[in-house]
Structures are given as structure tokens and as C-alpha cells.
Amino acid sequence: MYENVHYQLSASEGEKAYERRLAEVPGDQLSAKERTAAIVQELGIVQAQTKEPEFGSFVHDVVAALNKSVENPKDVPPIVNSLHSAFLERGRSELRGQIKYAYYGFLASKRFTKINLQDQAKLADLRYPSEWYPETRQIQRTIHLHVGPTNSGKTYHALQRLEQAKTGIYAGPLRLLAHEVYTRLNARGRPCNLVTGDERQLLEGDVCMSSCTVEMVPITRDIDVAVIDEIQMIGHEERGWAWTQAVMGLRAKELHLCGEERTVPLIKELAAAMGDDLRIHHYKRLSPLKTMSSSLRGNLNNLRKGDCVVAFSKINIHRLKEDIEKTTRKRVAVIYGSLPPEIRAQQAALFNDQTNDYDILVASDAIGMGLNLSIKRIIFSATEKFNGRKDAPIETSQVKQIAGRAGRYRTAAQAAETPIEGSNGLDMSKPGMSPDVSPAQTLGLVTTLDRGLSTIQKAMTSQADPIMSAGIFPPDDVLVRFAAYFPPSTPFSYILTRLHNTSLLHPRFHLCILKDHVKIADAIEPVRNLTISDRIIFCVSPASLKNNDDPLESVLRELAESVANNSGGGVLEIQGLDLELLEMEVTDSSRLFLQKLEALHKALILYIWLSYRFAGVFNTQAMAFYIKSLVEKKIEEVLSRESAKPRRIHQQIFELKHGFRKDERRRVGSADQPSEKVQEGLSDRGKPDHELSTEGFEAPLELSHRLKDSSNSGTEHETLPRSKFDLVSALRGLKTVQEPVKAESTP
């Protein structure tokens, strides 16, 4: 096949191109000859591996297109552009995927009639998403847009109106936020349900309020007031569709949107298109915020109590935590996206607590929304973030949102004096400053750890670009009808991609990217007997596959097999769940252990999420909640031990310097246990211990005692090792109660 290309290409030249690409040579620095060599070589590899009879004809057409692009560089065929772009952006894996999709497109072009293609084009016409909600368009709604910076009281005022309503809904971007509103409304005598992707708290009787994550917004019932938080997320490239669906679909007389000023032009356009009345409310920041004139010059000893150091990768977060604790002897709390929400709230509580020695926080951009943190200074350790392809400067809007977490309208001590029952320290507090607090006490400061201060200063004085388009995603019924045109053997990932690439859009909207959808679709493609609806549910599940060897991929495939076979869905039957981690002791080399625990927690969240949608298959939901709570406690133990480790080292050095004898050893900087308030919060997660007995479970301590007793009484657990509590075997020995769970459709 190589001789058909004008360039004198060889397999070795293609391999050299790959080697240069893997050496992180920017794709645009590779010559056209090198890029073409890589494409031709990959075509040869795929052709040698494939058993598809028509692949040879496809290769012939691609080579012809390559020849054409050589002869006339100004008239490059679309397939050549797509293959070159794939190679430039991601290298070999992306190129191979693009070849696969191009091949299925080649087959489709031969099988579809002109009428078929016209019908597909009609389905792919997504220019007017407001028409997807005809019942909502019959309601004359009033939209209240509350805009302002962080810590301006915009969400508080919207929630005040929600509390006054007869019926209402709160929709937020995080489960933590939904849980906070649920707790507060119930504490104030307004019965409220909690509905998130992986948790339901449904009260008995006629409940008129609901708090949910924005993806779970119910658009099929009439309500008086709805509050949609963080409305700027409507422009998000992956999750924006959920905000657009809520704005366009909620059947609320009053719709309150809270977020950034840069959403105003877009919301004006959407309101006019939907025929809704729009009222805009502007807010100003309640406490001062100032950018410092100098950085910390890389000196960790310049850190002080109340500082938050921001990093943009988990590796850097843990490295900074370790360096700060070793250098300053201060304990450090950590918050980042892959930590379970419960642990993030617990770490926030430790940092906010004035009575312990967790003086510093190291966090990712996950602090940008939700958590109410007692931060005095935001310190950026970097001004660039990996965007999936390369390190790129963080956007102005993100700088402002993170920096806005510095400074508070109330001190931590004052907040503690008037707590709201069940509060997890989330950013929902009443605005206003106590007369006893001076502006200096609530002044928020922003700087950098070392370099990049000029970048932060420029961002803080700049206006963020307005949001130009709202995210959308094709409704399920469109996907099902579109898929019906393709043979059953067509990969679902190709169907998704083809619909995505052929969709017709209005400039006011953008299609949310398919990054996770395509990876999930490919992961479960080998599983047979799944309907298109089943595959859609899996594709929108909370399963983010980071790389090709992600352990979640095998769990995902196993769960899909259970749905296909309608059996084998017990949580203890899923072999990919590494429950043995719960029996392992935490060691000093615990970073990899923490990573495995986080992966296990994600897999359990996925199981619970699916249990609400395939209740007959995944029927051990209560057990999954229980195991999830054990994982969270294990993660807490790891983080606590990591914080205590430097203190033990310093204690040994202190003793050596002062010649302490063993019997005179003092307790210097020992690792304290979390406060009673924090410990109370930890027991109220998932399925609390005191509720386990009512669901057929035993609390961990009771369970361990029973196992010890049973080992002496000749029961079925007699083979358990007496020296070690075998948790997994104990879980398998539990007598569970199967609870019927109402299946709910995916939004």
C-alpha cells in the first residue's frame, strides 16, 4: 500500500514520526511527510489486524485521498484533515480511533439511501432545543438572574425566596450543595427531599420541596419557585447540557439563576427566545479582596494560619502537603476533586476549626464552588493547568472564582456561634458583617507561591470573557431513533460520534463533548444483549475513565454484563471491587494506597448510581452504602496518618537533641483526633452505623465482636483467622435484607 502514496514512505519512517510525537514534539512541528507516514503506517497495522472484508477498499480510498492532498495542498479531503488532526492532538491512540470511525463512515455511505441520510439529518437538527419542552413553553415564567462575585450574597437571596414558596426546587452543581440546602430547609421546618445521582432521601407524606444536583432536575411537574446555582456552568464543555435543560425545561413560575456577571448576555438571549420575563439583580462583594504586591518567593516558612495553597494536580497537592508539613511543622488539610465529597467536607471542617492545629489547606480548583472555607490568603502554586493535551494558562474566570474564596464575611469563631444543624461548612450562609468585625479581619488576600504573580494580578483586574453559548446534548429519544438506522453490530461510540459530527446547531448553543461517553461506550462494546437505552444509561453514568488501564473499566464492563444477563449484580459478586483494601493496614507509603481507595470509592458510587436505574439487578444497595462508608473512614485514616507522619519525625529529632530518656518522652506536636463535632459528622454518612441493624447489618465493632465469638462457637465463621479481622469474609457472611428500590429514568 505504501507505493500508492507520492511520498517514498516506509514503515520505519512512520515509526520515527511516532517516536518524535511520543517525545512530545508538538504535532505542528512534524512535517507533512512525517504525519502522512504515521497515518499510512497505522492504516497498515489496522489492516493487518482487522477481519473486516471491506477494510481493503476503505484503505484504497484513504490512500487516494492522501495522494490528492499531496497533489493539491489547498484542496485537502475531509478524511485527511480528520486523520491529521487526530494525530496532531493525541497521537497514535486518537489516530487509531479516528481510523475506526472513518471506516464505519465508509460503510455507512455505502448502505444508506438518500432518504435515509435526509431522515438522519432531520434528527440531527438541534437548532431549537427550547422546543424539546413544549409543556414548559405554555407557562409564562419570570426569570430572576442574580449575578455577582463570590461572597456577594446572591445565592442567599435566591434561597430566601425558595423558603417562602409553597413548592420549590434547588438545583446545584455538587452533591454537597444539594445536601446542604436539603439539611437547612428541613431544619427550618420546610420538609425537603434530597435527590442526587447516587443518593435519595425521600420523606414520607406530601413533600413540596426538593434539593437535587442539576442533572437530576425533574422537568415533569409544576412548581412555584426553582433556584439553579452556578448558572455560568451552562457554558461548560461537558456538563453544560444539564444547566440548559434545567433553564429551558423547569416548569416553575419563578426561576432564580445564580452565578457570574458574564452570563447576562446569554441568559438575555435565551429568555427572549423562550418568551420569559427576565429581571436582573446585581450584587457586590461583601468583604474586601486584594492582590498582594509580592509572592512568597518560594519560602514555605512564609505560610501562616488560614492560608490555602492552590495546585492543579493531585501529585502536586500531596507533594506540597508533605513539604509544608516537614518545613513548617503545621498540619495540612487537603481538598481535591477525586476525594469523596464526604471527605472534602470533613477536611474543610478540620481547616475551619479554630481549636485544632490544621492551619493550612492545600487544594485544587475544587474549592472554587460549594465549600465555605475560612481562608485568609489564596496562594497559587502555579498559573497553568493541564487541559487534557498540554499545560495552558488558567482562565481569568477561574482565577477570580478561586481567588474569591479568600476573606469571609464572618470569622470562623462567629460562624461557630450560630451553626445550623447539619451544616457541613458549605457556602450558603447569610450575608452581612458583624459590627464587631473590622474589614481588616475579613480582608482576603491573593498571591503566588513563587512565580506568576503578574499573571494573577492581570487576571484579577480583567473582565472575564462573556459566555457565548449554552451546552446541549441530544435527548434520549433522538439517540434511540438515530441508532435505529445502523446495523446492530455498529459500535455505539460511532453512532454517538456520527450524531455529534452531523448535528446542526444554532450559534447560541454548543454540543457538549463526548470524552467520557465514547470511552464508556467502547469499554462496554463487547457486552452483548444490551439495548440502546441500556448503553445510553451507562454512557451518562459517573464513570470517568482516565486512561486505558483504569481499574474502573473492568468494573464497568462487569456491571454491564450483570445488566445484560439480568443477574450477578450483588455488590459482593463484582470481582473488580477491591474490597480487600479495607483489611489492609495503613503504612507510611500510603499515597498509592490512597489512590486505590479513591478508585474503589468511585466504583461504589457507580454501583449505587446504577442501582437506582437497574434496581432489579443491583439489589444490594444498602450493603454498598455501608461499604462506601467504610472506604470513607479508611481514606480519612490515611489522610490523618499522612498529616501525623512529619510530626513523628520532628518529635524524634527533638528528643535526640534534648537527650530525652525513653521514660521521659514528651508528647510534642502529636496527631490529635478530629474534634467531637467532626466525628459526629463522620458517622452520619451513607448508611449510619446506628441504622445498620434495622437493615440487616451490624456496626463494624459489633460485627468484629460477633466474629470473635463465632470463632469459638463452631459457627460458619469458624475458619476466620483470629489474629486478623477478615472484613470481606465478614461482609459475605452478613444476612442482608433486600430492599425494593424504585427504578428511576435517567434525565
Side-chain angles (χ1 to χ4, degrees):
M1 58 182 285
Y2 293 105
E3 62 272 16
N4 293 329
V5 184
H6 281 260
Y7 293 125
Q8 294 300 311
L9 301 175
S10 67
S12 62
E13 288 178 347
E15 193 60 41
K16 287 177 183 177
Y18 276 124
E19 289 173 1
R20 292 192 66 199
R21 186 69 183 85
L22 291 173
E24 298 184 355
V25 175
D28 54 6
Q29 291 183 17
L30 295 175
S31 67
K33 179 179 179 180
E34 288 178 305
R35 294 199 299 269
T36 305
I39 293 171
V40 173
Q41 186 208 21
E42 194 63 33
L43 282 168
I45 293 172
V46 176
Q47 184 175 15
Q49 295 174 345
T50 187
K51 297 179 181 179
E52 296 284 343
E54 298 182 63
F55 198 82
S57 298
F58 165 69
V59 170
H60 181 273
D61 286 2
V62 174
V63 171
L66 288 168
N67 280 328
K68 183 178 180 180
S69 68
V70 173
E71 294 169 353
N72 187 2
K74 293 183 179 180
D75 184 22
V76 180
I79 188 170
V80 175
N81 273 330
S82 65
L83 293 175
H84 275 279
S85 296
F87 178 67
L88 290 176
E89 288 183 11
R90 298 287 177 90
R92 174 172 284 178
S93 61
E94 189 76 10
L95 176 58
R96 181 165 293 195
Q98 192 61 44
I99 288 173
K100 180 179 71 172
Y101 295 134
Y103 173 61
Y104 283 111
F106 168 80
L107 294 179
S109 65
K110 292 182 174 296
R111 293 173 182 170
F112 292 139
T113 65
K114 185 176 180 179
I115 295 177
N116 289 151
L117 294 173
Q118 289 174 347
D119 290 342
Q120 289 178 32
K122 289 179 182 178
L123 281 175
D125 186 350
L126 308 178
R127 288 176 295 173
Y128 309 107
S130 61
E131 296 178 359
W132 300 344
Y133 314 99
E135 294 184 3
T136 307
R137 299 287 75 80
Q138 297 174 17
I139 302 171
Q140 182 57 53
R141 304 186 304 174
T142 300
I143 298 178
H144 293 267
L145 179 59
H146 304 263
V147 293
T150 305
N151 192 8
S152 60
K154 53 188 182 294
T155 304
Y156 168 77
H157 284 95
L159 289 176
Q160 285 289 95
R161 182 66 190 97
L162 178 63
E163 288 182 25
Q164 297 164 4
K166 183 178 179 181
T167 60
I169 287 173
Y170 168 83
L174 304 171
R175 181 160 66 90
L176 283 172
L177 287 171
H179 197 281
E180 176 75 356
V181 174
Y182 156 78
T183 301
R184 285 171 179 258
L185 287 175
N186 281 299
R188 290 171 179 169
R190 298 303 313 272
C192 178
N193 290 327
L194 175 68
V195 181
T196 72
D198 50 49
E199 186 177 6
R200 307 283 193 279
Q201 298 288 346
L202 307 179
L203 305 181
E204 294 182 357
D206 187 16
V207 181
C208 299
M209 292 284 178
S210 292
S211 183
C212 57
T213 44
V214 71
E215 285 86 354
M216 301 302 296
V217 162
I219 57 175
T220 56
R221 73 178 207 248
D222 296 322
I223 52 174
D224 294 324
V225 174
V227 175
I228 304 175
D229 211 353
E230 305 291 355
I231 187 59
Q232 70 275 3
M233 291 286 288
I234 198 170
H236 195 274
E237 64 177 8
E238 294 179 38
R239 295 182 65 194
W241 66 269
W243 275 261
T244 305
Q245 173 185 265
V247 169
M248 293 190 162
L250 270 169
R251 288 155 54 178
K253 297 174 184 175
E254 285 184 34
L255 189 59
H256 292 257
L257 313 178
C258 307
E260 298 176 13
E261 189 87 32
R262 60 196 181 106
T263 61
V264 171
L266 178 61
I267 299 301
K268 280 183 176 179
E269 287 190 32
L270 294 179
M274 295 183 293
D276 295 326
D277 181 29
L278 176 63
R279 301 175 188 178
I280 303 174
H281 310 273
H282 297 272
Y283 298 81
K284 293 183 178 180
R285 185 176 170 89
L286 296 169
S287 59
L289 183 65
K290 178 183 177 182
T291 307
M292 295 175 64
S293 59
S294 63
S295 73
L296 301 192
R297 297 182 176 86
N299 189 348
L300 297 180
N301 284 314
N302 288 332
L303 293 170
R304 55 180 185 252
K305 186 176 182 67
D307 283 346
C308 172
V309 183
V310 178
F312 296 105
S313 75
K314 189 161 63 173
I315 291 175
N316 287 336
I317 287 172
H318 284 292
R319 184 183 295 126
L320 277 166
K321 168 185 165 68
E322 185 176 338
D323 290 345
I324 292 169
E325 289 182 330
K326 285 182 178 178
T327 303
T328 67
R329 298 187 63 189
K330 299 182 190 316
R331 298 187 74 177
V332 176
V334 293
I335 294 174
Y336 51 88
S338 60
L339 275 180
E342 294 83 357
I343 301 300
R344 275 181 266 165
Q346 181 256 354
Q347 290 288 302
L350 287 174
F351 175 70
N352 287 340
D353 191 344
Q354 299 289 301
T355 63
N356 66 24
D357 55 354
Y358 280 85
D359 294 342
I360 296 170
L361 175 68
V362 176
S364 71
D365 50 358
I367 63 166
M369 61 179 71
L371 293 166
N372 192 8
L373 297 157
S374 182
I375 297 172
K376 295 177 182 177
R377 285 194 302 183
I378 286 287
I379 301 163
F380 288 88
S381 67
T383 56
E384 291 188 339
K385 179 182 178 182
F386 187 69
N387 63 8
R389 295 185 294 274
K390 61 181 180 180
D391 287 332
I394 49 179
E395 297 179 0
T396 296
S397 59
Q398 193 170 28
V399 170
K400 288 189 167 185
Q401 187 166 37
I402 296 171
R405 309 311 294 178
R408 296 184 64 186
Y409 37 77
R410 297 188 301 168
T411 65
Q414 288 171 323
E417 290 175 5
T418 56
I420 294 177
E421 183 181 353
S423 174
N424 288 318
L426 303 182
D427 195 7
M428 296 285 183
S429 302
K430 179 178 178 178
M433 191 183 301
S434 167
D436 299 329
V437 181
S438 68
Q441 287 178 278
T442 58
L443 172 65
L445 297 173
V446 184
T447 187
T448 59
L449 188 59
D450 196 355
R451 293 172 294 181
L453 181 58
S454 60
T455 302
I456 299 300
Q457 290 171 331
K458 182 180 178 181
M460 293 296 290
T461 56
S462 302
Q463 290 293 327
D465 294 334
I467 296 173
M468 303 305 296
S469 62
I472 60 172
F473 199 79
D476 289 359
D477 65 313
V478 171
L479 274 171
V480 171
R481 284 186 286 159
F482 192 80
Y485 284 99
F486 296 85
S489 59
T490 306
F492 188 59
S493 61
Y494 170 73
I495 296 172
L496 283 172
T497 304
R498 183 177 176 88
L499 177 57
H500 196 275
N501 292 339
T502 58
S503 292
L504 186 60
L505 300 171
H506 189 283
R508 193 183 297 128
F509 302 99
H510 66 267
L511 268 178
C512 289
I513 62 174
L514 295 172
K515 181 180 68 174
D516 287 331
H517 298 75
V518 168
K519 287 182 179 179
I520 294 171
D522 284 338
I524 64 173
E525 186 59 42
V527 180
R528 298 300 168 214
N529 300 324
L530 288 176
T531 66
I532 293 297
S533 296
D534 292 339
R535 294 186 186 276
I536 291 173
I537 291 174
F538 272 92
C539 285
V540 300
S541 69
S544 180
L545 301 177
K546 300 298 183 185
N547 45 52
N548 293 333
D549 57 351
D550 194 315
L552 190 59
E553 182 173 339
S554 62
V555 175
L556 191 64
R557 193 174 294 115
E558 213 174 334
L559 294 171
E561 292 279 5
S562 296
V563 171
N565 299 329
N566 198 29
S567 64
V571 68
L572 298 180
E573 298 178 72
I574 308 302
Q575 298 300 313
L577 295 177
D578 191 4
L579 300 181
E580 283 74 14
L581 288 172
L582 297 173
E583 300 178 76
M584 296 173 62
E585 294 185 6
V586 179
T587 63
D588 285 344
S589 57
S590 55
R591 193 171 298 175
L592 179 60
F593 185 44
L594 178 61
Q595 187 176 338
K596 290 180 178 179
L597 285 171
E598 291 170 0
L600 175 57
H601 191 274
K602 287 181 182 178
L604 289 166
I605 288 289
L606 174 61
Y607 180 93
I608 293 169
W609 190 93
L610 289 169
S611 73
Y612 286 109
R613 291 145 180 90
F614 300 102
V617 177
F618 306 115
N619 53 16
T620 55
Q621 186 189 84
M623 172 73 85
F625 269 114
Y626 175 49
I627 299 173
K628 172 176 163 286
S629 71
L630 295 180
V631 175
E632 289 160 3
K633 290 176 182 177
K634 198 75 171 180
I635 291 175
E636 178 200 343
E637 180 187 349
V638 174
L639 292 175
S640 178
R641 185 182 182 92
E642 282 288 295
S643 287
K645 194 193 317 179
R647 309 300 288 265
R648 293 196 299 272
I649 295 171
H650 282 294
Q651 178 177 336
Q652 292 167 5
I653 295 172
F654 189 88
E655 291 172 357
L656 287 172
K657 283 183 177 180
H658 291 79
F660 283 175
R661 296 194 307 272
K662 187 174 181 180
D663 56 346
E664 293 176 338
R665 187 165 294 171
R666 300 181 188 178
R667 191 180 180 203
V668 180
S670 60
D672 296 331
Q673 292 296 319
S675 64
E676 291 183 7
K677 184 177 180 181
V678 173
Q679 286 190 341
E680 288 174 6
L682 293 177
S683 64
D684 191 23
R685 307 239 178 82
K687 295 293 180 181
D689 290 351
H690 68 274
E691 294 181 8
L692 290 170
S693 58
T694 65
E695 300 186 13
F697 298 104
E698 295 170 277
L701 185 59
E702 297 171 354
L703 181 58
S704 63
H705 288 324
R706 181 173 71 80
L707 289 172
K708 289 178 182 178
D709 293 340
S710 68
S711 65
N712 295 323
S713 60
T715 65
E716 60 180 317
H717 298 292
E718 179 169 296
T719 58
L720 291 176
R722 301 184 186 185
S723 60
K724 182 180 178 183
F725 173 39
D726 189 342
L727 178 63
V728 177
S729 297
L731 288 171
R732 296 186 188 282
L734 285 171
K735 180 181 179 181
T736 62
V737 176
Q738 303 296 334
E739 293 182 305
V741 182
K742 184 179 179 181
E744 300 188 22
S745 61
T746 303

